Amino acid sequence: MKQPYPVTPKPRQTWCALAALTCCLLSGAAVAVDSARPWMNTALSPDARARLLEQALTLDERIALVHSPMALDLGEMAKKQAGALGSAGYVAPIERVGIPALNQTDASLGVTNPAGTRPGDSATALASGLSLAATWNPRLARASGAAIGQESHAKGFNVLLAGGANLTRDPRGGRNFEYLGEDPWLAGVMAGASIAGIQSANVVSTTKHFALNPYETGRDYHNAQIDPAALRESDLLAFQLAIERGQPGSIMCAYNKINTVYACENGPLLGDALKRDWGYKGWVMSDWGAVHSTVAAAQVLDHESGEQLDKQVFFGEPLKQAVAAGKVAPGRLSDMVQRILRSMFAVGLFDRPPVAAKIDYEAHAKLAQDAAAEGIVLLRNERNTLPLSREVKRIAVIGGNAALGVLSGGGSSQVTPTGQPPVIVPMGGNAPFDAFFRRAVWFPSAPLAAIRARAPKAEVIFDDGRYPAAAAELARSADVAIVFGTQWNGEAEDLPDLSLPQGQDALVAAVAAANPRTVVVLETGNPVDMPWLDASAAVLEAWYPGQRGGDAIADVLFGDVNPSGRLPMTFPKSLTQLPRPVLPGRGLAKGVGFDIDFNEGADVGYRWFHKSGAAPLFAFGHGLSYTSFAVSDLKVEGGKTLKVSFAVRNTGTRAGADVPQVYLSSAAGQPLRRLIGWDKVQLAPGESKRVTVEADPRLLGRFDAKSHSWKVAAGDYRVVVGASAIDNGVQGGAQLSAQTLKP
């Protein structure tokens, strides 16, 4: 059977691997080799080791490696497998040839303990993905990934379902909080750094959900319609960058259809782009319940995950029969297995398997606090209301369960934090997973206690905010009022609108009207409406700030940390500014398919606002500081790409970090707005540093579907270095020559 993509190992490759092994033995190289298991020779490449091992497997052993169940105790829905640790998935070992088990767990925000299937087990709970993206700090992303990887390895897990790189195309998206913003360069760089950090601990990381998966509504059956070239320039570019920079061992394909074909059997997506054009060598696993037939194996999918959620175990006996009948070529099955084994060898699962080890939870908690504080965005600060003085006499703290803790996002990324147990508020629902997904979890890091600790001389009084009039009365008597607004987001559902739920907007408005020194702290998984904005003195976006979020918030409020977060998403003024003002699929019965027209194409987020001329509430890249910065001495060099350099000076009186952003403002005479680089610069008062940014040429060009390549046109290219996507700061330009780049 002819395959659409080359999969069958070439005999010459196998002989080369054996020849390399023979040379090592004849040369007397100090390599411990078991002659019965030549694939354990670490002198060989991961590809050679995978080929040797795959050839030693029986058909049944090959089939066993390409499908797996959930490994949770969830009653009839799922049962914990013998030998499994109890988490998202489990592939049993093949002891005859020394293949270790794959214990898989969620993921990006910490090692999860779904439904408490591992009693007493907890892990460091990091801030949300949007919070990490708001740091604009790839070094921090790598450190955070390394911490999660280390904890996974010490707990016995060797696969993390991490690396979310979907672009946040709609501020109502239920899983936006897990992702890394609306720009492909920002999301790709940050995801790649996080993945690299995870895999530095000898734990395979995925990147997910591949691709064009920004909505939860109807995620199992909606059809995402988009121009293929626009997809290459947006969501696929984010994944491509994450893969290049992080080298994830696996890719998780999404539930939805893309241009009428399910993502997990989509040839143009997984075969053309991922495996052929990008040369990806790892394995593609399905999302849990995203497989619909053995056609997926014949095409491009390598592993069926969470098999209980599919109509049948397609990659079990049906796949075995399909191979026997010639409907799936034996070479394709070999390719599936080799890809899995190749990543296991490359990341170190054979040579450095997980072992029980002591975890430095205190160091990781400190990292979580520092990362959360760095991700907080100061959106507004009238009359220098912040930072607060420790000498303030009376502080009113209002709403948001600030006496209890900080909110986290719901779903498969939910972490059970170390330290005190969290407070869990069931939110009801009728779907099978609602008891797991629809839970508001509050980490016991109370902002109220943290505020009291930092202002020991002040009278800090609290009101739960249930009655706006009572809260306003309390605020009126305070020197400063801090009102908390919360918005819970979770997997499997999108938001109906951007308001603060349960009447919180009325509460904030009442407090702000009563006290002109009202500080609003938002714990949200998305942008929100702010009808009370003009009456507020200051606004902090704290996102879901993780297990030490209360301390991180207090650090910024009192100036122990100078805020340096910048928005990774545009905050719109209203839903009417969006490409799709009405939430796609809302109100349709479950199971009814529908199309989503991504008419914005590659112009996601701030690029859509620039194209449409709409003014946002807060722009992508926006964020204030307790000091001030100035950019000068811009130099732009051309040729094959743009090399942009400039000086950044701290012109204020406090040390702080700036995030100067470089945007392409026109390409060969065509106006546009596109992030092509940034840096995060820590500066003492009066200090100046020079920053150099060299643009990835793909960011300067367009994907040409006809020639199947990136095209950079010759001409004049203009850039602007500013503090956000709408800041026209310092401008310059240079000439570029035409070039064609591989896809």
Side-chain angles (χ1 to χ4, degrees):
M1 179 181 178
K2 185 178 179 181
Q3 295 293 316
Y5 313 105
V7 294
T8 306
K10 297 179 181 179
R12 179 173 176 79
Q13 293 175 319
T14 301
W15 282 112
C16 287
L18 292 172
L21 173 59
T22 302
C23 288
C24 287
L25 295 173
L26 293 177
S27 67
V31 178
V33 179
D34 182 347
S35 60
R37 295 182 174 182
W39 50 84
M40 293 306 294
N41 177 16
T42 58
L44 298 177
S45 70
D47 302 86
R49 296 174 74 181
R51 284 193 293 270
L52 289 168
L53 178 50
E54 188 275 331
Q55 290 169 3
L57 298 178
T58 66
L59 175 60
D60 286 338
E61 288 169 338
R62 291 183 175 95
I63 293 294
L65 284 174
V66 298
H67 67 95
S68 61
M70 290 191 295
L72 308 175
D73 283 324
L74 296 177
E76 293 302 314
M77 185 178 302
K79 299 182 184 298
K80 183 177 177 181
Q81 309 297 303
L85 296 176
S87 194
Y90 178 70
V91 182
I94 301 178
E95 296 177 354
R96 183 184 71 84
V97 290
I99 298 177
L102 294 180
N103 273 291
Q104 305 168 339
T105 181
D106 293 294
S108 302
L109 313 182
V111 183
T112 66
N113 183 359
T117 55
R118 302 189 305 279
D121 189 20
S122 60
T124 303
L126 298 174
S128 66
L130 277 180
S131 175
L132 180 63
T135 70
W136 292 59
N137 187 342
R139 294 177 295 277
L140 187 56
R142 183 182 174 98
S144 298
I148 301 172
Q150 290 161 15
E151 292 191 16
S152 302
H153 197 265
K155 292 174 182 291
F157 294 102
N158 54 11
V159 179
L160 264 172
L161 310 177
N166 292 105
L167 296 188
T168 53
R169 284 178 173 261
D170 192 308
R172 296 164 293 190
R175 296 186 81 171
N176 282 348
F177 73 92
E178 295 184 44
Y179 300 138
L180 296 164
E182 67 192 25
D183 179 78
W185 182 247
L186 176 64
V189 168
M190 295 295 284
S194 178
I195 292 164
I198 290 169
Q199 296 197 158
S200 70
N202 307 123
V203 174
V204 166
S205 175
T206 69
T207 186
K208 63 182 185 183
H209 304 87
F210 194 66
L212 202 61
N213 183 218
Y215 289 106
E216 292 296 286
T217 302
R219 65 181 184 177
D220 298 314
Y221 38 82
H222 74 241
N223 173 44
Q225 297 274 31
I226 191 170
D227 175 75
L231 181 59
R232 289 275 186 154
E233 294 175 12
S234 54
D235 295 66
L236 290 196
L237 181 56
F239 278 101
Q240 187 176 6
L241 292 164
I243 291 166
E244 290 171 354
R245 289 167 172 263
Q247 297 295 306
S250 183
I251 307 295
M252 183 190 294
C253 50
Y255 289 115
N256 53 287
K257 295 178 181 178
I258 300 172
N259 294 332
T260 74
V261 181
Y262 281 111
C264 287
E265 55 189 57
N266 195 302
L269 178 69
L270 299 177
D272 293 346
L274 179 68
K275 292 183 176 180
R276 185 190 65 196
D277 294 346
W278 304 348
Y280 180 66
K281 294 184 176 182
W283 87 90
V284 180
M285 68 168 70
S286 73
D287 205 340
W288 273 229
V291 181
H292 301 273
S293 71
T294 57
V295 170
Q299 291 292 322
V300 283
L301 183 64
D302 302 311
H303 186 95
E304 177 184 16
S305 307
E307 60 192 27
Q308 305 101 315
L309 299 179
D310 294 323
K311 290 183 178 179
Q312 67 179 110
V313 183
F314 293 108
F315 282 24
E317 188 61 28
L319 178 58
K320 184 177 178 180
Q321 293 177 8
V323 172
K327 295 180 180 179
V328 175
R332 171 69 189 116
L333 178 60
S334 292
D335 180 62
M336 295 161 68
V337 172
Q338 283 187 30
R339 287 176 174 276
I340 295 169
L341 296 174
R342 194 264 177 199
S343 289
M344 294 175 69
F345 281 120
V347 180
L349 272 58
F350 282 85
D351 307 320
R352 293 172 291 279
V355 292
K358 185 177 180 180
I359 297 170
D360 192 344
Y361 283 121
E362 180 56 35
H364 289 178
K366 179 63 166 58
L367 173 64
Q369 180 177 337
D370 291 345
E374 192 168 335
I376 290 174
V377 182
L378 179 60
L379 296 175
R380 176 179 171 89
N381 193 22
E382 298 298 294
R383 303 176 298 280
N384 293 321
T385 299
L386 294 179
L388 298 176
S389 168
R390 296 181 189 275
E391 302 303 317
V392 65
K393 294 181 179 179
R394 184 174 169 87
I395 303 173
V397 178
I398 298 166
N401 283 324
L404 180 65
V406 291
L407 187 60
S408 60
S412 57
S413 66
Q414 183 71 65
V415 180
T416 302
T418 58
Q420 292 179 291
V423 175
I424 300 174
V425 181
M427 300 180 68
N430 303 305
F433 277 98
D434 280 348
F436 169 44
F437 284 166
R438 302 201 83 249
R439 303 182 303 157
V441 178
W442 297 83
F443 296 155
S445 176
L448 177 62
I451 290 168
R452 283 176 170 157
R454 284 159 181 76
K457 298 179 182 179
E459 179 186 10
V460 181
I461 47 182
F462 177 71
D463 184 276
D464 59 22
R466 287 182 299 158
Y467 299 98
E473 183 178 353
L474 182 69
R476 194 172 290 111
S477 66
D479 296 316
V480 62
I482 306 173
V483 58
F484 285 78
T486 61
Q487 171 213 57
W488 181 84
N489 285 17
E491 184 174 349
E493 60 184 288
D494 297 315
L495 296 173
D497 57 47
L498 300 182
S499 65
L500 290 175
Q502 299 171 313
Q504 292 179 85
D505 282 322
L507 169 66
V508 177
V511 172
N515 191 324
R517 286 175 54 81
T518 292
V519 178
V520 184
V521 179
L522 299 170
E523 297 172 29
T524 74
N526 264 321
V528 294
D529 290 333
M530 301 184 197
W532 35 260
L533 179 63
D534 289 344
S536 68
V539 181
L540 287 178
E541 175 56 76
W543 315 105
Y544 299 145
Q547 72 177 54
R548 284 198 178 174
D551 286 298
I553 291 168
D555 283 343
V556 173
L557 286 172
F558 286 91
D560 296 332
V561 171
N562 190 345
S564 63
R566 303 292 186 266
L567 289 182
M569 283 187 74
T570 302
F571 278 44
K573 287 182 178 178
S574 73
L575 295 177
T576 61
Q577 295 180 314
L578 303 180
R580 288 166 294 284
V582 177
L583 185 70
R586 183 164 177 78
L588 294 179
K590 184 177 181 180
V592 175
F594 58 94
D595 292 338
I596 302 178
D597 181 14
F598 287 92
N599 57 297
E600 74 274 27
D603 292 320
V604 182
Y606 69 91
R607 292 168 63 174
W608 170 263
F609 277 75
H610 183 268
K611 183 177 180 179
S612 66
L617 184 66
F618 290 108
F620 174 86
H622 170 74
L624 304 176
S625 171
Y626 296 152
T627 188
S628 56
F629 302 95
V631 172
S632 63
D633 193 22
L634 175 66
K635 295 181 180 178
V636 185
E637 300 175 46
K640 288 292 187 180
T641 189
L642 291 177
K643 186 175 181 180
V644 183
S645 64
F646 49 89
V648 184
R649 179 178 294 277
N650 183 340
T651 57
T653 59
R654 287 175 174 261
D658 191 24
V659 185
Q661 302 151 42
V662 183
Y663 293 90
L664 187 66
S665 59
S666 72
Q670 297 297 314
L672 48 74
R673 190 58 56 111
R674 185 181 301 170
L675 181 72
I676 62 172
W678 81 87
D679 200 358
K680 190 152 196 176
V681 189
Q682 184 72 40
L683 297 168
E687 184 181 8
S688 179
K689 289 184 180 178
R690 191 150 193 90
V691 171
T692 300
V693 169
E694 186 167 322
D696 186 307
R698 289 169 293 191
L699 300 176
L700 308 175
R702 302 300 301 266
F703 190 85
D704 180 60
K706 186 176 181 180
S707 65
H708 197 67
S709 62
W710 291 90
K711 295 282 190 180
V712 180
D716 183 50
Y717 285 71
R718 307 295 297 175
V719 301
V720 55
V721 181
S724 75
I726 62 172
D727 178 22
N728 289 321
V730 180
Q731 303 178 39
Q735 295 289 317
L736 291 184
S737 55
Q739 62 175 312
T740 299
L741 306 166
K742 66 179 183 178

